[in-house]
Amino acid sequence: MFKAVSTEVRFPDLEQRVLQFWKANRVYQRTLEQRSGGPSFVFYEGPPTANGMPHPGHCLTRAIKDLFPRYRTMRGYHCLRKAGWDTHGLPVEVEVCKELGIHGKDEIESYGVEPFIQRCQQSVWRYMQQWEQLTERLGFWIDLNEAYVTYHQSYVESVWWSLKNLFDRGLLYRGYKIVWWWAQGGTALSSGEVGQGYRQVADPSVYVRFNLVDQPNTSLIVWTTTPWTLPSNQFAAVHPDLTYAVCDDGSGKKLIVAEALVATLAEKAKLTLQVEKTIQGIEMIGWRYQPPFDYYSSKLGSAQGTLKSGGKEHLYWRVVAADFVTTDSGTGLVHLAPAFGEVDFDVLIKQQERFVSGEEPKLICAVGPDGKFTADVPSLQGVWVKDADKTVTRSLREAELLYHQEQYLHDYPFCWRADQDPLIQYPRESWFIKTTAFRDAMLANNKQIGWLPDHIRDGRFGNFLESNVDWALSRERYWGTPLPIWVCEKTGQMEALGSYEELLKKPGVEGTDVWLKAKAANPELVDDLKVHKPYIDAITYSSPYAAGSRMRRVSEVIDCWYDSGAMPFAQWGYPHQGKEQFAKQFPADFISEAIDQTRGWFYSQLAISTMLFGEQDTSANAQAKSDVPAQAYPHPFRNCIVLGLMLAEWYESKDGKRRFLTEDEARKECGTQYVSKTGKMSKQLRNYRSPQEIFDNHGADALRWYFFANQAPWNSIIYSERAIRDSIPEFLLRLWNVLSFFTIYGEIDGFRGPGDIEGKLDQLNADELQRSPRYRPVAERDELDRWVLSELSLASEEVVRCMDAYDNYGACQRLIALVDGLSNWYIRRSRERFWAEDVNGVDKVDAYWTAYECLVTITKLIAPFVPFTAEAIWQELIRPAAGRVRESVHLCDYPTAIAEYQDRDLAVQMATLREIASLGRSARMDSKLKVRQPLSRVEVVLAEHTHLAWLQNHAAMLREELNVKSIEYPERADDYVQYTVVPNFRRLGPRVGPLLPKVKAALGAASGAALLTQLQETGQVRLQLDATEVVLDREDIEVRLQAKPGWAAAQGKQCVVVLNTELTPELIREGLAKDLNRVIGDMRKKQQCKFTDRIRLVMVGDFAELEQMLAEQQASIMQAALITEIVRTAPASVALEKVELGNYEVEIGIQVVSD
RNA sequence: GCGCGCGUAGCUCAGUUGGUUAGAGCGCGUCGCUGAUAACGACGAGGUCCAUGGUUCGAAUCCAUGCGUGCGCACCA
């Protein structure tokens, strides 16, 4: 038996019960077991880092990551969902430093690397519980117990294996790199970190004279905002195509700047610059100049080297060509200090390549890694670079080399965690992966990936790949995967190792005792630490390259993005173990993260996979790859949904001092003095609610549905509590109300549903339901039943099509329309059938079965989207057959189309009928005739008569819906309606092209009614346009209607509905009866009558007109409201209420009669 | 600065290969319905589809330029 389900549902409570149910019955595990023989759907979890609190953005990614695996599982696929955690990296170290109150590498070293990394390892799990709780509460089904963890030994060794592979193929090399350097902390920062720290500052900007060696009294003017780099100057750059001007400044000194900037520079220095002649940049190349400081030039000023092309050239302080020189700012001449600028450094590399080996210019660098000047510059030794700006400027002025000085406002990066520390660009030795060798391969791979939205492929991601630079892999830090390269201390020869075991097998291994001692001293230490610093650093072995020499590991760890990008194989420990799993679970069918991962996880995965498993190998040492299977593109993921970023919505007092999360609070506190804001979510601003609060107040399904159904997932989405709350009534609650309606009457009527089906039941598909003795063939049922089942099938088909294309938004739109049709048309139109007296009436039972089948199917359809609500509804629906069907909706197969149910004509017909009903109500509204007042007649004028016969057959439904006595469909209604004939543009456009405006004009000019007659009689319309005759058939034109003024009419696209507004006394009395019925219904409800209670109606007052109404309508009133008798005098026991019926006032009361 | 995305109703967003009356939800207003009822329905107001130019018989849609905005990259030597 069904049990009446209350409309008052609290989703958060319901969800808690569902969670318990899932746990108690191992539902998730069983969904996997059940599909173990099915085809694989491979999903990869992009590992979050658990050392920060999860926030609403993570809910979005986790919801999407849950949706498609659930869907595919119901479609029969076996979808493993291995969780993962990203555990290495600077953020972890920073957290630990904060905790310890220390700052910078020196302090870490003095604290001790060993205890430091032990703390890092523990810190990684700090918010683990919150993460697991959020994951579970959101309904994200994933195997947390078997999560991969990037610091685990097996994971690290997988990464090592891949690095050894790259190293052996010559793809891992050591080089210099200009990095953003945090001098106080002694570390380079990743571009992401640098990006966080930009802010606007005013820096001194100086225009400096570089005196030319071979042209007395003439100088180049260069500009810089970093005066402290001038002592390290090596070159001056010009653009070869720019025109430069030699000017006289009035004092006899000559200076050279870009011609375009002469006026600007004259104004700056308040000088008159007389242009003497102009010269092309290309002609200046090779000119030598005197650098502003002679710390290096005193020794190297005349140094020369041999060119590869023959001949000799001075190594330093000459003019070179560079394409990046512009006249947007500065002077068109650029000071180059290769040590402190990436582009400057590239110029040096190019210069070095021109000279024979050993004679090239070297890097000049007057600053140490601590950001202070070295002994190379005695007058500034030990001075912090930014503090040197003033001194440098003063010296320039004294040497009469300063042309002009001013403040310059620009954005400059500071350390994101020590915001007083400016970053400097600085050369560091670094390990690189030669990703540039795989640029084309990565592009080819990328081409095959199914990106959503697809502009990512050629847009953001494609562009990023196009401009690929070698991956700077190493980090001079502590907590990360150690770079597995050992160097011979004598010869510098290097070897990469692919596992810990391989290391232990090396000859003459020493240093393993460091770990053993640590472990002995503290048995709690996790074994995974032995492959980390400092234990791994302690292990050395005999060099095969020089007798007596040791092999020692380089000190660096690697970029943690490499860790995450290696997860397709490292999650299984491949290839040291897990070969089978890897073979089955590669590549992924589906991944999803937010757009910020474009250069993060999306790239690191693609790059590593392309290099290791790519189709073609462009590297020098390809055979080293032979143990790895090559894979056809795309890999390692086939489809990727790139999510938009999540924004916060909050309210602020107008002075910006107070923030509120809801508008109500803001209004309460500030009256009207508040503004609404949207922007980035910020921990500091506390401008968003914790996900937990949303779960507690509105439920996880509300949040999920809001994410899935409100916009395409790649749009940015506002995390708005109001919007989340609003998503409940429009879908979840509406569906719940249908369930409630169904179960209330199902219980009253004793409808047994699947309970009366004999034999084996499984998942209540149509073929099972039809075994019920009372389930009649759909074709024999009422048209409304066939309509809603057709909608059900069409929707199933469409939802499957959308979901197969990863279009959750489209799927949700279709589901909303389906539930709306069920609730607001099917159930509403069928209520009388459910209320029918005869419990076993065929029509009534049909209605039950139809509604039941819809509910069962919809529950399955929505299960991946709102798993909690779906489960709760399922449990109610299976109640009569509990124990005989699948225990959970999530164990069912996903519904697909049932071809026999589909009737596209009927769908169009019903839509037309619904439109007519809507227009009828609209016309009533205009004439102020409420729906309860019956009318004698409406006329419906159709533009197009295809469905006329059908509509005529359904007059009854419309009569009821519109509360009218008769409906007529006049063929022509020239009295009410004006016909306009317009061409069918889509059809005629290609055929008549430029003539189309004339066709339109000709059709417009002719009488619409006449054209229509012509069309009806001959089947075509002939138009004479200038020289050509155009023949139009029925399909070529479209008839539009317009209601003529003066009628109670409403007009839609397809038809006009005209009301007869004449009211007879009889109609008015009928209206009164309907009013009375409503009043009684209200009273029943107010007095909390049971649905089945019979009542006595007491009605006192001056009747007159009402008397006749009662006489006519008594039977129907009594039946509708379960009235046993109508009493005209009031017994004392009944409370009376004054009510208005039409223009009459009466007193009415009701009293429940016992049986 | 470069790249990518976005600009449609008060707000949040749809808008299918270009087709002539641009839609939805929320909010607002009016009205209605009433034993699914803290739900539901109808109607209304509200739009120079960012601007300009172009292609076309026809542009919210395609192209160009500009403006605004978000994100990413880079950073002015």
Side-chain angles (χ1 to χ4, degrees):
Chain A
M1 282 289 283
F2 293 104
K3 217 177 106 195
V5 171
S6 165
T7 53
E8 284 177 32
V9 55
R10 263 203 46 87
F11 287 104
D13 298 346
L14 170 155
E15 291 176 359
Q16 291 295 349
R17 289 196 296 274
V18 170
L19 281 172
Q20 304 250 315
F21 171 81
W22 286 344
K23 211 179 266 179
N25 293 282
R26 298 179 58 250
V27 175
Y28 170 48
Q29 290 78 2
R30 283 163 62 198
T31 65
L32 287 167
E33 289 157 15
Q34 184 178 284
R35 306 297 187 188
S36 62
S40 284
F41 179 75
V42 179
F43 163 76
Y44 289 166
E45 160 76 334
T49 142
N51 89 320
M53 273 289 273
H55 67 81
H58 297 116
C59 292
L60 173 62
T61 46
R62 290 176 108 57
I64 283 274
K65 287 174 182 185
D66 182 58
L67 173 63
F68 289 98
R70 277 184 188 267
Y71 166 72
R72 290 289 179 154
T73 299
M74 288 182 74
R75 295 271 283 151
Y77 291 83
H78 185 235
C79 179
L80 291 183
R81 281 157 268 181
K82 192 175 172 70
W85 301 105
D86 189 15
T87 55
H88 283 146
L90 195 59
V92 182
E93 294 192 18
V94 169
E95 274 300 307
V96 171
C97 283
K98 268 190 203 157
E99 205 176 286
L100 295 170
I102 61 176
H103 196 74
K105 283 174 75 175
D106 291 351
E107 292 180 64
I108 294 174
E109 302 268 356
S110 45
Y111 175 77
V113 174
E114 187 174 355
F116 184 75
I117 65 122
Q118 288 173 9
R119 273 177 171 271
C120 285
Q121 186 267 329
Q122 287 152 11
S123 149
V124 157
W125 303 114
R126 175 169 316 167
Y127 295 104
M128 193 63 187
Q129 229 187 337
Q130 281 89 335
W131 273 94
E132 294 197 341
Q133 209 180 333
L134 174 107
T135 302
E136 192 198 333
R137 183 63 188 82
L138 186 66
F140 182 25
W141 275 354
I142 190 161
D143 296 314
L144 291 168
N145 296 330
E146 291 167 42
Y148 66 89
V149 176
T150 57
Y151 76 69
H152 281 177
Q153 182 175 347
S154 69
Y155 198 99
V156 166
E157 287 182 304
S158 256
V159 171
W160 282 0
W161 160 79
S162 68
L163 290 171
K164 176 185 165 70
N165 178 297
L166 298 178
F167 180 86
D168 291 349
R169 289 157 65 202
L171 297 167
L172 191 53
Y173 68 94
R174 188 146 57 164
Y176 274 98
K177 180 183 159 64
I178 303 292
V179 295
W180 278 110
W181 182 252
W182 176 36
Q184 288 85 343
T187 187
L189 267 62
S190 70
S191 61
E193 293 165 321
V194 176
Q196 284 175 47
Y198 278 97
R199 70 169 186 263
Q200 203 171 56
V201 287
D203 270 329
S205 111
V206 291
Y207 294 78
V208 183
R209 294 175 197 270
F210 284 5
N211 293 326
L212 289 168
V213 171
D214 300 319
Q215 297 175 48
N217 239 357
T218 307
S219 49
L220 308 170
I221 305 291
V222 301
W223 179 63
T224 181
T225 53
T226 47
W228 60 267
T229 62
L230 285 166
S232 308
N233 171 271
Q234 292 192 247
F235 303 104
V238 295
H239 194 293
D241 300 336
L242 277 178
T243 306
Y244 292 84
V246 182
C247 308
D248 191 315
D249 69 358
S251 68
K253 285 185 183 164
K254 290 178 189 165
L255 44 89
I256 301 179
V257 296
E259 187 186 24
L261 294 166
V262 171
T264 320
L265 290 163
E267 195 185 333
K268 278 190 199 292
K270 302 202 167 53
L271 288 172
T272 315
L273 293 181
Q274 192 67 44
V275 177
E276 292 195 339
K277 60 172 182 176
T278 60
I279 183 169
Q280 288 305 112
I282 195 162
E283 299 174 60
M284 297 162 66
I285 292 162
W287 288 4
R288 294 178 58 220
Y289 62 87
Q290 202 69 55
F293 296 91
D294 62 359
Y295 301 112
Y296 295 95
S297 66
S298 55
K299 281 181 222 148
L300 301 168
S302 53
Q304 291 191 321
T306 309
L307 291 165
K308 283 178 182 164
S309 56
K312 292 209 161 211
E313 186 164 12
H314 283 94
L315 292 176
Y316 307 98
W317 304 295
R318 56 186 159 74
V319 175
V320 297
D323 289 336
F324 57 78
V325 177
T326 66
T327 53
D328 294 346
S329 57
T331 64
L333 282 147
V334 173
H335 140 69
L336 296 182
F340 308 115
E342 209 173 337
V343 288
D344 309 42
F345 187 76
D346 291 343
V347 169
L348 176 66
I349 300 289
K350 287 220 180 69
Q351 288 297 323
Q352 287 175 336
E353 285 167 359
R354 295 174 60 225
F355 289 84
V356 300
S357 183
E359 296 192 32
E360 65 274 78
K362 305 288 185 296
L363 182 70
I364 290 176
C365 180
V367 176
D370 56 358
K372 293 174 182 169
F373 280 90
T374 63
D376 286 358
V377 185
S379 63
L380 288 168
Q381 188 177 354
V383 178
W384 162 241
V385 289
K386 286 281 173 184
D387 296 336
D389 281 343
K390 272 197 181 133
T391 322
V392 167
T393 309
R394 196 183 318 122
S395 321
L396 290 170
R397 186 176 294 121
E398 284 164 6
E400 295 186 356
L401 293 174
L402 188 67
Y403 170 77
H404 178 64
Q405 180 193 2
E406 66 190 14
Q407 289 289 299
Y408 186 75
L409 210 58
H410 65 158
D411 287 336
Y412 195 88
F414 288 75
C415 182
W416 60 281
R417 39 181 281 224
D419 57 12
Q420 292 311 305
D421 296 353
L423 302 177
I424 58 172
Q425 295 207 332
Y426 196 79
R428 292 298 289 180
E429 193 166 60
S430 216
W431 286 86
F432 293 86
I433 301 175
K434 209 174 232 161
T435 51
T436 46
F438 293 87
R439 199 186 68 125
D440 292 342
M442 290 193 286
L443 284 165
N445 194 351
N446 174 43
K447 277 270 181 267
Q448 305 297 319
I449 294 171
W451 289 103
L452 289 105
D454 66 0
H455 61 71
I456 297 284
R457 175 175 34 245
D458 295 319
R460 196 172 280 236
F461 196 68
N463 289 338
F464 178 62
L465 293 178
E466 294 275 0
S467 58
N468 186 262
V469 294
D470 283 349
W471 187 341
L473 181 72
S474 56
R475 297 286 181 271
E476 297 178 82
R477 301 296 312 186
Y478 307 96
W479 177 239
T481 301
L483 187 62
I485 292 174
W486 271 258
V487 186
C488 170
E489 54 189 11
K490 276 214 182 109
T491 65
Q493 296 266 36
M494 298 186 282
E495 286 183 345
L497 301 185
S499 70
Y500 195 69
E501 198 187 337
E502 192 181 336
L503 174 61
L504 297 186
K505 281 186 182 157
K506 287 287 177 184
V509 169
E510 287 171 9
T512 49
D513 55 314
V514 176
W515 163 254
L516 293 173
K517 275 181 199 152
K519 179 78 178 175
N522 177 8
E524 303 279 291
L525 281 187
V526 282
D527 286 337
D528 301 300
L529 286 182
K530 72 174 170 223
V531 294
H532 285 82
K533 277 168 98 66
Y535 310 110
I536 197 72
D537 293 346
I539 304 181
T540 63
Y541 60 90
S542 306
S543 169
Y545 306 105
S549 172
R550 303 294 300 168
M551 298 292 283
R552 292 186 192 281
R553 198 187 74 83
V554 300
S555 67
E556 289 96 335
V557 298
I558 66 166
D559 182 1
C560 60
W561 284 113
Y562 191 98
D563 288 347
S564 63
M567 78 50 75
F569 54 91
Q571 65 173 335
W572 307 111
Y574 179 89
H576 309 304
Q577 52 185 292
K579 282 198 171 162
E580 210 174 301
Q581 287 104 317
F582 175 66
K584 277 192 204 151
Q585 296 285 310
F586 182 91
D589 289 296
F590 167 67
I591 65 168
S592 179
E593 298 290 339
I595 193 165
D596 55 358
Q597 294 299 327
T598 310
R599 283 135 213 275
W601 193 52
F602 298 155
Y603 172 69
S604 64
Q605 275 192 100
L606 181 94
I608 293 171
S609 196
T610 307
M611 290 188 291
L612 291 176
F613 312 116
E615 282 176 352
Q616 68 254 42
D617 187 355
T618 44
S619 68
N621 199 359
Q623 67 277 13
K625 215 181 79 164
S626 59
D627 62 323
V628 177
Q631 297 270 344
Y633 297 142
H635 59 75
F637 49 90
R638 294 197 168 103
N639 298 287
C640 177
I641 297 182
V642 183
L643 299 169
L645 294 172
M646 184 169 282
L647 304 174
E649 177 192 64
W650 72 100
Y651 300 87
E652 265 180 27
S653 57
K654 278 202 173 148
D655 58 14
K657 283 183 183 157
R658 286 178 300 165
R659 272 181 298 279
F660 310 95
L661 293 179
T662 64
E663 191 160 11
D664 287 347
E665 285 170 49
R667 196 179 296 126
K668 212 191 309 173
E669 296 292 320
C670 307
T672 55
Q673 299 299 300
Y674 67 89
V675 285
S676 143
K677 299 270 228 178
T678 48
K680 278 188 180 174
M681 284 194 282
S682 152
K683 256 190 208 169
Q684 284 162 351
L685 288 179
R686 307 188 45 141
N687 58 0
Y688 59 89
R689 273 205 199 296
S690 80
Q692 192 57 52
E693 283 181 78
I694 298 291
F695 296 147
D696 291 346
N697 294 332
H698 311 292
D701 275 350
L703 187 63
R704 292 174 64 117
W705 188 256
Y706 170 67
F707 288 157
F708 299 148
N710 268 279
Q711 66 282 299
W714 44 84
N715 287 329
S716 62
I717 178 168
I718 295 174
Y719 180 72
S720 147
E721 182 175 14
R722 188 181 48 79
I724 294 164
R725 192 184 55 223
D726 289 346
S727 76
I728 300 171
E730 82 178 16
F731 186 75
L732 293 177
L733 200 51
R734 195 180 284 174
L735 180 60
W736 192 265
N737 278 334
V738 174
L739 173 76
S740 174
F741 179 91
F742 174 84
T743 51
I744 284 170
Y745 293 103
E747 184 179 46
I748 290 170
D749 288 332
F751 176 66
R752 299 185 60 218
D756 64 10
I757 300 173
E758 303 279 325
K760 203 176 163 308
L761 284 175
D762 182 26
Q763 46 183 322
L764 303 175
N765 284 340
D767 56 348
E768 295 165 39
L769 299 185
Q770 71 190 13
R771 291 185 356 235
S772 160
R774 306 210 296 167
Y775 181 101
R776 297 202 309 140
V778 170
E780 291 171 24
R781 293 188 211 169
D782 188 272
E783 193 155 48
L784 200 58
D785 296 346
R786 285 187 278 121
W787 171 78
V788 75
L789 290 169
S790 168
E791 291 295 305
L792 183 70
S793 172
L794 290 169
S796 303
E797 185 177 325
E798 177 74 0
V799 168
V800 165
R801 198 184 58 70
C802 287
M803 290 300 282
D804 282 350
Y806 298 94
D807 175 11
N808 54 282
Y809 178 69
C812 288
Q813 295 304 303
R814 195 66 190 78
L815 288 169
I816 289 171
L818 177 64
V819 170
D820 176 67
L822 177 66
S823 168
N824 290 325
W825 192 248
Y826 180 76
I827 295 286
R828 193 163 66 76
R829 287 303 320 150
S830 303
R831 280 190 286 199
E832 298 285 342
R833 299 165 68 195
F834 289 97
W835 296 335
E837 283 284 341
D838 180 4
V839 169
N840 292 313
V842 163
D843 184 57
K844 180 166 185 156
V845 174
D846 281 352
Y848 271 116
W849 272 117
T850 304
Y852 185 69
E853 192 166 349
C854 286
L855 279 167
V856 164
T857 307
I858 288 174
T859 303
K860 293 174 185 173
L861 286 172
I862 65 169
F865 299 86
V866 283
F868 297 97
T869 310
E871 188 71 281
I873 295 177
W874 180 255
Q875 297 308 325
E876 297 301 332
L877 291 175
I878 65 172
R879 198 176 280 276
R884 300 169 59 206
V885 297
R886 299 203 187 180
E887 238 177 308
S888 162
V889 69
H890 301 287
L891 290 163
C892 294
D893 296 331
Y894 206 71
T896 48
I898 298 180
E900 310 88 84
Y901 284 5
Q902 294 191 359
D903 186 338
R904 285 170 204 270
D905 280 344
L906 182 57
V908 174
Q909 287 154 351
M910 195 65 84
T912 310
L913 192 145
R914 287 178 78 178
E915 191 191 354
I916 294 170
S918 161
L919 289 169
R921 282 190 291 265
S922 164
R924 272 180 177 277
M925 192 71 56
D926 289 345
S927 315
K928 306 224 180 298
L929 290 165
K930 51 186 176 184
V931 180
R932 231 182 279 115
Q933 175 59 58
L935 296 177
S936 62
R937 187 167 56 113
V938 303
E939 291 185 53
V940 179
V941 188
L942 295 168
E944 202 262 331
H945 289 170
T946 316
H947 299 302
L948 176 61
W950 186 89
L951 287 168
Q952 281 169 332
N953 286 335
H954 293 72
M957 196 188 299
L958 258 186
R959 281 203 304 270
E960 207 177 304
E961 192 66 18
L962 288 177
N963 193 18
V964 296
K965 298 293 167 195
S966 76
I967 304 228
E968 281 163 42
Y969 293 92
E971 287 258 315
R972 297 287 292 277
D974 298 353
D975 288 348
Y976 317 126
V977 166
Q978 191 180 338
Y979 293 89
T980 352
V981 180
V982 291
N984 179 340
F985 290 95
R986 195 188 282 270
R987 231 172 108 90
L988 286 177
R991 205 164 92 207
V992 306
L995 276 177
L996 202 47
K998 287 185 178 163
V999 173
K1000 183 185 180 185
L1003 290 175
S1007 142
L1011 287 171
L1012 208 56
T1013 311
Q1014 195 188 345
L1015 188 66
Q1016 276 162 359
E1017 283 166 7
T1018 66
Q1020 52 181 222
V1021 168
R1022 287 167 180 275
L1023 295 175
Q1024 191 64 42
L1025 299 169
D1026 303 335
T1028 39
E1029 189 190 41
V1030 178
V1031 182
L1032 307 175
D1033 65 19
R1034 207 176 277 276
E1035 298 273 291
D1036 292 332
I1037 63 172
E1038 195 181 312
V1039 181
R1040 289 196 186 144
L1041 304 172
Q1042 186 144 30
K1044 289 184 178 171
W1047 298 93
Q1051 174 191 321
K1053 285 213 162 173
Q1054 294 296 317
C1055 59
V1056 168
V1057 175
V1058 186
L1059 301 181
N1060 180 338
T1061 57
E1062 191 188 339
L1063 291 179
T1064 62
E1066 199 181 3
L1067 289 171
I1068 291 173
R1069 286 196 296 275
E1070 233 181 277
L1072 288 174
K1074 284 183 189 280
D1075 265 348
L1076 177 60
N1077 185 43
R1078 181 192 57 107
V1079 168
I1080 298 167
D1082 272 354
M1083 294 182 115
R1084 285 185 65 111
K1085 190 173 62 178
K1086 264 187 227 152
Q1087 297 192 15
Q1088 300 184 322
C1089 295
K1090 285 185 206 132
F1091 297 116
T1092 48
D1093 280 345
R1094 297 186 173 267
I1095 54 167
R1096 179 177 299 126
L1097 174 68
V1098 181
M1099 208 169 152
V1100 184
D1102 175 22
F1103 286 84
E1105 184 83 10
L1106 294 181
E1107 198 70 54
Q1108 193 180 349
M1109 176 272 282
L1110 269 184
E1112 284 169 12
Q1113 306 285 338
Q1114 186 159 358
S1116 80
I1117 292 171
M1118 289 177 75
Q1119 195 202 335
L1122 300 183
I1123 295 167
T1124 51
E1125 61 173 325
I1126 299 181
V1127 181
R1128 301 298 182 69
T1129 49
S1133 56
V1134 178
L1136 294 181
E1137 197 180 321
K1138 270 188 190 168
V1139 294
E1140 273 184 25
L1141 288 182
N1143 297 324
Y1144 307 93
E1145 194 171 89
V1146 290
E1147 287 182 281
I1148 289 180
I1150 60 169
Q1151 184 179 36
V1152 177
V1153 293
S1154 44
D1155 298 314

